[in-house]
Short mmCIF file of all heavy atoms in Angstrom, two decimals:
data_model
loop_
_atom_site.label_atom_id
_atom_site.label_comp_id
_atom_site.label_asym_id
_atom_site.label_seq_id
_atom_site.Cartn_x
_atom_site.Cartn_y
_atom_site.Cartn_z
N PHE C 45 -2.35 37.79 -11.65
CA PHE C 45 -1.92 36.39 -11.61
C PHE C 45 -0.87 36.11 -12.66
O PHE C 45 -0.93 36.62 -13.79
CB PHE C 45 -3.13 35.48 -11.83
CG PHE C 45 -2.79 34.02 -11.80
CD1 PHE C 45 -2.24 33.44 -10.66
CD2 PHE C 45 -3.02 33.22 -12.91
CE1 PHE C 45 -1.92 32.09 -10.63
CE2 PHE C 45 -2.72 31.87 -12.88
CZ PHE C 45 -2.16 31.30 -11.75
N GLN C 46 0.13 35.26 -12.28
CA GLN C 46 1.18 34.87 -13.21
C GLN C 46 1.06 33.39 -13.61
O GLN C 46 0.79 33.08 -14.76
CB GLN C 46 2.57 35.13 -12.60
CG GLN C 46 2.87 36.61 -12.41
CD GLN C 46 4.23 36.83 -11.80
OE1 GLN C 46 4.53 36.34 -10.71
NE2 GLN C 46 5.08 37.58 -12.51
N ASN C 47 1.27 32.49 -12.65
CA ASN C 47 1.29 31.07 -12.98
C ASN C 47 1.20 30.22 -11.72
O ASN C 47 1.15 30.75 -10.61
CB ASN C 47 2.57 30.72 -13.76
CG ASN C 47 3.83 31.12 -13.00
OD1 ASN C 47 3.92 31.00 -11.78
ND2 ASN C 47 4.82 31.60 -13.73
N VAL C 48 1.20 28.90 -11.92
CA VAL C 48 1.26 27.94 -10.82
C VAL C 48 2.61 27.25 -10.88
O VAL C 48 2.89 26.51 -11.84
CB VAL C 48 0.13 26.90 -10.89
CG1 VAL C 48 0.25 25.89 -9.75
CG2 VAL C 48 -1.23 27.57 -10.86
N SER C 49 3.47 27.50 -9.88
CA SER C 49 4.79 26.89 -9.86
C SER C 49 5.43 27.11 -8.48
O SER C 49 5.37 28.23 -7.97
CB SER C 49 5.69 27.50 -10.94
OG SER C 49 6.97 26.94 -10.91
N PRO C 50 6.00 26.08 -7.86
CA PRO C 50 6.04 24.69 -8.33
C PRO C 50 4.69 24.01 -8.15
O PRO C 50 3.86 24.43 -7.35
CB PRO C 50 7.10 24.06 -7.41
CG PRO C 50 6.97 24.84 -6.14
CD PRO C 50 6.68 26.25 -6.56
N GLY C 51 4.48 22.93 -8.90
CA GLY C 51 3.22 22.21 -8.81
C GLY C 51 3.24 20.96 -9.65
O GLY C 51 4.27 20.61 -10.24
N ALA C 52 2.10 20.28 -9.73
CA ALA C 52 1.97 19.05 -10.50
C ALA C 52 0.55 18.92 -11.00
O ALA C 52 -0.40 19.41 -10.37
CB ALA C 52 2.35 17.84 -9.64
N ASP C 53 0.39 18.26 -12.13
CA ASP C 53 -0.94 18.03 -12.69
C ASP C 53 -1.68 16.95 -11.91
O ASP C 53 -1.10 15.93 -11.52
CB ASP C 53 -0.84 17.61 -14.15
CG ASP C 53 -0.32 18.72 -15.05
OD1 ASP C 53 -0.45 19.90 -14.66
OD2 ASP C 53 0.24 18.41 -16.12
N VAL C 54 -2.97 17.19 -11.66
CA VAL C 54 -3.81 16.21 -10.97
C VAL C 54 -5.14 16.11 -11.70
O VAL C 54 -5.55 17.02 -12.42
CB VAL C 54 -4.06 16.59 -9.49
CG1 VAL C 54 -2.76 16.72 -8.73
CG2 VAL C 54 -4.87 17.89 -9.39
N THR C 55 -5.81 14.99 -11.52
CA THR C 55 -7.19 14.85 -11.98
C THR C 55 -8.09 14.78 -10.76
O THR C 55 -7.66 14.33 -9.69
CB THR C 55 -7.38 13.60 -12.84
OG1 THR C 55 -7.00 12.45 -12.08
CG2 THR C 55 -6.53 13.67 -14.09
N TYR C 56 -9.33 15.23 -10.92
CA TYR C 56 -10.24 15.28 -9.78
C TYR C 56 -11.67 15.10 -10.25
O TYR C 56 -11.99 15.26 -11.43
CB TYR C 56 -10.11 16.61 -9.04
CG TYR C 56 -10.63 17.80 -9.81
CD1 TYR C 56 -11.96 18.23 -9.66
CD2 TYR C 56 -9.81 18.49 -10.70
CE1 TYR C 56 -12.43 19.31 -10.38
CE2 TYR C 56 -10.29 19.58 -11.42
CZ TYR C 56 -11.60 19.98 -11.25
OH TYR C 56 -12.08 21.06 -11.95
N SER C 57 -12.53 14.78 -9.30
CA SER C 57 -13.97 14.78 -9.53
C SER C 57 -14.64 15.29 -8.27
O SER C 57 -14.14 15.10 -7.17
CB SER C 57 -14.48 13.38 -9.87
OG SER C 57 -14.49 12.56 -8.73
N LEU C 58 -15.76 15.94 -8.46
CA LEU C 58 -16.54 16.47 -7.33
C LEU C 58 -17.91 15.82 -7.25
O LEU C 58 -18.79 16.31 -6.56
CB LEU C 58 -16.68 17.99 -7.45
CG LEU C 58 -15.36 18.78 -7.46
CD1 LEU C 58 -15.64 20.27 -7.59
CD2 LEU C 58 -14.54 18.49 -6.22
N ASP C 59 -18.08 14.71 -7.97
CA ASP C 59 -19.36 14.00 -7.96
C ASP C 59 -19.12 12.50 -7.84
O ASP C 59 -19.65 11.71 -8.61
CB ASP C 59 -20.17 14.33 -9.20
CG ASP C 59 -19.37 14.15 -10.49
OD1 ASP C 59 -18.22 13.68 -10.42
OD2 ASP C 59 -19.89 14.48 -11.57
N SER C 60 -18.27 12.14 -6.88
CA SER C 60 -17.98 10.73 -6.60
C SER C 60 -17.44 9.99 -7.81
O SER C 60 -17.76 8.84 -8.06
CB SER C 60 -19.22 10.02 -6.05
OG SER C 60 -19.68 10.67 -4.88
N ASN C 61 -16.57 10.69 -8.57
CA ASN C 61 -15.83 10.09 -9.68
C ASN C 61 -16.65 9.93 -10.95
O ASN C 61 -16.20 9.27 -11.89
CB ASN C 61 -15.22 8.74 -9.30
CG ASN C 61 -13.76 8.66 -9.67
OD1 ASN C 61 -13.09 9.68 -9.77
ND2 ASN C 61 -13.26 7.46 -9.87
#
Side-chain angles (χ1 to χ4, degrees):
F45 180 60
Q46 293 179 302
N47 55 38
V48 178
S49 179
D53 293 337
V54 302
T55 59
Y56 70 92
S57 73
L58 300 179
D59 51 6
S60 302
N61 230 25

